[in-house]
Protein backbone atom coordinates (compact mmCIF):
# COMPACT_ATOMS: atom_id res chain seq x y z
CA UNK A 1 0.00 0.00 0.00
CA UNK A 2 1.34 3.39 -0.91
CA UNK A 3 1.36 5.81 1.99
CA UNK A 4 0.75 9.47 1.23
CA UNK A 5 2.04 11.80 3.93
CA UNK A 6 0.15 15.01 4.47
CA UNK A 7 1.57 17.86 6.50
CA UNK A 8 -0.54 19.85 8.88
CA UNK A 9 -0.98 23.60 8.77
CA UNK A 10 1.82 24.02 11.32
CA UNK A 11 4.26 22.98 8.60
CA UNK A 12 2.91 25.69 6.34
CA UNK A 13 4.31 28.21 8.80
CA UNK A 14 7.79 27.00 7.79
CA UNK A 15 7.32 28.91 4.53
CA UNK A 16 9.01 31.84 6.27
CA UNK A 17 12.16 29.78 6.92
CA UNK A 18 15.30 30.33 4.90
CA UNK A 19 16.19 27.78 2.20
CA UNK A 20 18.94 26.39 4.42
CA UNK A 21 16.49 25.59 7.20
CA UNK A 22 14.27 23.53 4.88
CA UNK A 23 15.10 19.90 4.28
CA UNK A 24 13.69 18.02 1.25
CA UNK A 25 11.72 15.64 3.49
CA UNK A 26 10.14 18.47 5.47
CA UNK A 27 8.75 20.72 2.80
CA UNK A 28 5.64 22.82 3.41
CA UNK A 29 2.46 21.06 2.25
CA UNK A 30 2.10 23.06 -0.97
CA UNK A 31 5.57 22.16 -2.17
CA UNK A 32 5.16 18.47 -1.46
CA UNK A 33 1.68 18.17 -2.92
CA UNK A 34 2.88 18.08 -6.51
CA UNK A 35 4.70 14.81 -5.72
CA UNK A 36 1.62 13.53 -3.87
CA UNK A 37 -0.55 14.40 -6.88
CA UNK A 38 1.84 12.48 -9.15
CA UNK A 39 1.44 9.52 -6.80
CA UNK A 40 -2.38 9.84 -6.85
CA UNK A 41 -2.26 9.78 -10.66
CA UNK A 42 -0.01 6.71 -10.48
CA UNK A 43 -2.53 5.01 -8.16
CA UNK A 44 -5.36 5.76 -10.62
CA UNK A 45 -3.33 4.18 -13.43
CA UNK A 46 -2.62 1.09 -11.34
CA UNK A 47 -6.20 0.82 -9.97
CA UNK A 48 -8.46 2.25 -12.69
CA UNK A 49 -12.08 2.83 -11.77
CA UNK A 50 -15.16 4.41 -13.33
CA UNK A 51 -15.74 8.07 -12.57
CA UNK A 52 -12.02 8.81 -12.38
CA UNK A 53 -10.97 11.63 -14.72
CA UNK A 54 -7.41 10.26 -14.77
CA UNK A 55 -8.80 6.91 -15.84
CA UNK A 56 -10.83 8.63 -18.60
CA UNK A 57 -7.63 10.28 -19.85
CA UNK A 58 -5.70 6.99 -19.62
CA UNK A 59 -8.36 5.26 -21.73
CA UNK A 60 -8.25 8.09 -24.33
CA UNK A 61 -4.55 7.39 -24.92
CA UNK A 62 -1.31 9.27 -25.51
CA UNK A 63 -2.51 11.43 -28.42
CA UNK A 64 -5.47 12.83 -26.43
CA UNK A 65 -3.35 13.42 -23.30
CA UNK A 66 -0.65 15.21 -25.32
CA UNK A 67 -3.36 17.29 -27.01
CA UNK A 68 -4.78 18.28 -23.60
CA UNK A 69 -1.33 19.42 -22.45
CA UNK A 70 -1.02 21.54 -25.60
CA UNK A 71 -4.47 23.09 -25.05
CA UNK A 72 -3.78 23.83 -21.39
CA UNK A 73 -0.40 25.38 -22.30
CA UNK A 74 -2.10 27.72 -24.80
CA UNK A 75 -4.83 28.60 -22.25
CA UNK A 76 -2.11 29.36 -19.68
CA UNK A 77 -0.30 31.71 -22.06
CA UNK A 78 -3.57 33.48 -22.96
CA UNK A 79 -4.45 33.84 -19.28
CA UNK A 80 -0.96 35.24 -18.56
CA UNK A 81 -1.52 37.94 -21.16
CA UNK A 82 -5.21 38.74 -20.69
CA UNK A 83 -6.71 37.40 -17.49
CA UNK A 84 -6.67 37.95 -13.76
CA UNK A 85 -4.04 36.41 -11.51
CA UNK A 86 -6.57 33.85 -10.20
CA UNK A 87 -7.49 32.77 -13.74
CA UNK A 88 -3.79 32.47 -14.60
CA UNK A 89 -3.22 30.35 -11.49
CA UNK A 90 -6.17 28.11 -12.44
CA UNK A 91 -4.90 27.55 -15.99
CA UNK A 92 -1.39 26.86 -14.68
CA UNK A 93 -2.83 24.24 -12.30
CA UNK A 94 -4.68 22.60 -15.23
CA UNK A 95 -1.44 22.56 -17.22
CA UNK A 96 0.64 21.03 -14.44
CA UNK A 97 -2.02 18.41 -13.69
CA UNK A 98 -2.28 17.30 -17.33
CA UNK A 99 1.52 17.35 -17.69
CA UNK A 100 1.75 14.98 -14.70
CA UNK A 101 -0.72 12.65 -16.45
CA UNK A 102 1.41 12.82 -19.64
CA UNK A 103 4.52 11.93 -17.62
CA UNK A 104 2.72 8.88 -16.16
CA UNK A 105 1.46 7.88 -19.60
CA UNK A 106 5.08 7.97 -20.82
CA UNK A 107 6.30 6.10 -17.70
CA UNK A 108 8.52 9.03 -16.78
CA UNK A 109 8.43 9.93 -13.08
CA UNK A 110 8.38 13.47 -11.72
CA UNK A 111 11.56 12.50 -9.85
CA UNK A 112 13.30 11.84 -13.19
CA UNK A 113 12.42 15.40 -14.27
CA UNK A 114 13.54 16.99 -11.00
CA UNK A 115 16.77 14.93 -11.22
CA UNK A 116 17.36 16.51 -14.63
CA UNK A 117 16.76 19.99 -13.21
CA UNK A 118 19.09 19.25 -10.30
CA UNK A 119 21.77 17.98 -12.69
CA UNK A 120 21.48 21.19 -14.71
CA UNK A 121 21.64 23.23 -11.51
CA UNK A 122 24.91 21.54 -10.55
CA UNK A 123 26.29 22.15 -14.04
CA UNK A 124 25.47 25.87 -13.73
CA UNK A 125 27.43 25.98 -10.45
CA UNK A 126 30.67 24.87 -12.18
N1 LIG B 1 -6.11 18.16 -10.18
C1 LIG B 1 -7.01 17.57 -10.81
C2 LIG B 1 -7.66 18.19 -11.93
N2 LIG B 1 -7.51 19.40 -12.50
C3 LIG B 1 -8.38 19.44 -13.50
N3 LIG B 1 -9.08 18.30 -13.58
C4 LIG B 1 -10.14 17.93 -14.52
O1 LIG B 1 -9.66 18.25 -15.79
C5 LIG B 1 -10.74 18.60 -16.59
C6 LIG B 1 -10.35 19.91 -17.24
O2 LIG B 1 -10.65 19.80 -18.48
P1 LIG B 1 -11.16 21.07 -19.24
O3 LIG B 1 -11.14 22.30 -18.39
O4 LIG B 1 -10.36 21.14 -20.48
O5 LIG B 1 -12.65 20.68 -19.44
P2 LIG B 1 -13.27 19.79 -20.56
O6 LIG B 1 -13.31 20.62 -21.78
O7 LIG B 1 -14.55 19.30 -19.99
O8 LIG B 1 -12.25 18.54 -20.76
P3 LIG B 1 -12.25 17.55 -22.02
O9 LIG B 1 -13.64 17.05 -22.24
O10 LIG B 1 -11.69 18.34 -23.20
O11 LIG B 1 -11.28 16.43 -21.61
C7 LIG B 1 -11.99 18.76 -15.74
O12 LIG B 1 -12.85 17.65 -15.90
C8 LIG B 1 -11.40 18.75 -14.33
O13 LIG B 1 -12.27 18.11 -13.40
C9 LIG B 1 -8.65 17.48 -12.61
N4 LIG B 1 -9.02 16.22 -12.28
C10 LIG B 1 -8.39 15.64 -11.23
N5 LIG B 1 -7.39 16.26 -10.49
C11 LIG B 1 -6.68 15.55 -9.40
O14 LIG B 1 -6.58 14.20 -9.74
C12 LIG B 1 -7.01 13.40 -8.65
C13 LIG B 1 -7.62 12.12 -9.19
O15 LIG B 1 -8.79 12.44 -9.90
P4 LIG B 1 -9.78 11.28 -10.38
O16 LIG B 1 -9.01 10.47 -11.37
O17 LIG B 1 -10.96 11.97 -11.01
O18 LIG B 1 -10.14 10.49 -9.19
C14 LIG B 1 -8.01 14.26 -7.89
O19 LIG B 1 -8.06 13.88 -6.53
C15 LIG B 1 -7.41 15.64 -8.06
O20 LIG B 1 -6.43 15.84 -7.04
Amino acid sequence: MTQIMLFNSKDDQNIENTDKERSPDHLPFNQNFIFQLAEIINLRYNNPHEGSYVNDLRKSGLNKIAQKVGEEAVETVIAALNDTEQEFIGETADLIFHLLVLLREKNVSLQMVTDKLLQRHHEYQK
Side-chain angles (χ1 to χ4, degrees):
M1 194 177 106
T2 306
Q3 193 181 5
I4 297 173
M5 282 188 64
L6 298 177
F7 292 91
N8 63 28
S9 58
K10 225 176 168 185
D11 292 282
D12 286 340
Q13 292 163 11
N14 288 340
I15 203 125
E16 297 299 326
N17 292 355
T18 65
D19 284 345
K20 270 190 176 171
E21 288 170 319
R22 294 186 201 167
S23 68
D25 56 354
H26 195 71
L27 290 170
F29 178 83
N30 282 342
Q31 288 184 27
N32 253 328
F33 184 67
I34 193 164
F35 278 90
Q36 292 165 3
L37 182 55
E39 186 55 33
I40 291 168
I41 290 166
N42 189 43
L43 288 170
R44 291 292 187 273
Y45 262 72
N46 294 339
N47 308 284
H49 62 77
E50 289 307 311
S52 157
Y53 178 68
V54 172
N55 187 35
D56 288 346
L57 282 174
R58 184 190 65 80
K59 285 193 292 187
S60 333
L62 175 60
N63 285 357
K64 172 71 179 177
I65 297 168
Q67 182 191 328
K68 285 294 294 179
V69 172
E71 286 171 9
E72 301 299 351
V74 170
E75 287 171 16
T76 300
V77 170
I78 292 170
L81 298 177
N82 298 312
D83 296 341
T84 65
E85 183 177 77
Q86 283 308 309
E87 286 164 330
F88 174 56
I89 289 170
E91 294 300 345
T92 303
D94 283 349
L95 174 60
I96 290 174
F97 167 71
H98 285 90
L99 187 56
L100 289 175
V101 176
L102 182 60
L103 287 175
R104 179 58 186 81
E105 178 65 27
K106 295 287 293 178
N107 286 311
V108 171
S109 70
L110 183 58
Q111 187 66 53
M112 290 160 79
V113 177
T114 57
D115 285 350
K116 170 60 73 178
L117 290 169
L118 188 59
Q119 178 198 331
R120 286 182 187 171
H121 175 67
H122 289 315
E123 286 166 5
Y124 274 88
Q125 307 296 306
K126 288 174 190 166

